[in-house]
Amino acid sequence: MTQIQIPSGMRDILSDECMIKDRLKSKIMAVYESYGYRQIETPLIEFYSTYQNTFTALKEETLYKFVDESGQLLALRTDMTLPIARVTAGKYASDNLPLRFCYCSNVYKVRQSFAGKRNEVTDCGVELIGLDDSSDVEVLSCALDVMAALGAEKYTLEIGSSELFRLACEKSGIDTEKAAVLADLIDRKEIPALKEYLKTLSLSSEAGRFFNALPLLGGKEALENAMKLCFDEELREEISHMITLRDILSELGYGDHVTFDLGKVPHLEYYTGIIFEGYAEGIGTSVLSGGRYDTLLSKLGRDLPAIGFGVKLDYLLDIMSSEKSEITKLYYPKDQIASAMKKARELRKTEPVEMIPREAGEMEVVR
């Protein structure tokens, strides 16, 4: 018999995993609510033009696209940040700031190489809109509280800065196109290729040393090492901001779970400040990711700073143990369905009950 298949990158979530997923969602949403975030839902489908007009470097092959009855091109949402930004610019245009939204929704992205990732995942996150980078520590604290609530034995929040790289390129006279190539090499830590590419740029010796070192500026001493390599006062100010974040997070008791990676510079068109990812032992990809995106809402008609992050629930399922709830079984003769229903109704006041008919015999409760 031929097995019925599902599209690549998709996965059926079975009963035990559904229970784990619901439990994780409840824990995460409880943390968000404790920080004052309010839940929001948006349509699964967006106009393709919303993505096209917002991102000049949009990779359209990563979107699921289709046409509606009037011929307009639509897309499944790839994340929740853009839909929430759209709602903020429209339906919340006159509301007092800041706005705190949380969500738990499925998102879709076509991946050519899965590397442990999936095309459909449940994203459970927050967006804080209307506050500048002075609110970074609050959002990072929320992310760390979420990681703790997930129950993983060991977890780490790794913090980087897209602004540091952007400033360094600006001070070095590196244009947008060359900066994109440089960012990709640094983010993938392609050290030999990076050295060769830097030779093609007209950089000062100080700038060359900075960019060469950037992929390796990670760990506990990353910020102090970076400060020694900074060749401009604005770069030092950005490092100082991150040192302040580190010190406050340590004062709040999160120090053992925080590291820095200044070679983390993806999605330059999207992020404008800190970027961060959360890792849990036993999972080969990040389970939490986010950052500051102060220019995104301006592209939708409302110029507001913003920061947010999301947790990919599906990546957590493999390391979380299932706590199966015990279901009481009520066996009953088929000709006693009414009595059995009354008995089950009474039992369900305190416990779940599964009714199982049989041909003959006494009514029996098995726990």
Side-chain angles (χ1 to χ4, degrees), residues 15 325-333 337 340-341 343-358 363-367:
S15 297
S325 63
E326 297 298 327
I327 299 178
T328 296
K329 298 184 185 298
L330 175 60
Y331 295 90
Y332 67 95
I337 179 65
M341 289 293 295
K343 179 65 175 178
R345 181 188 298 168
E346 188 64 28
L347 291 170
R348 286 185 181 125
K349 293 178 181 178
T350 57
E351 57 195 308
V353 177
E354 176 186 4
M355 296 177 62
I356 303 175
R358 55 190 181 188
M363 193 179 302
E364 180 183 7
V365 176
V366 178
R367 291 183 173 86

Side-chain angles (χ1 to χ4, degrees), residues 74-94:
L74 309 175
L76 298 184
R77 62 189 176 211
T78 60
D79 64 9
M80 283 298 293
T81 301
L82 183 60
I84 289 176
R86 172 185 54 75
V87 171
T88 299
K91 294 181 173 61
Y92 287 89
S94 60

Side-chain angles (χ1 to χ4, degrees), residues 180-198:
V181 175
L182 194 57
D184 182 60
L185 292 172
I186 291 171
D187 192 53
R188 291 190 291 111
K189 302 192 186 303
E190 296 280 355
I191 307 299
L194 172 63
K195 288 183 178 179
E196 291 303 312
Y197 187 70
L198 287 170

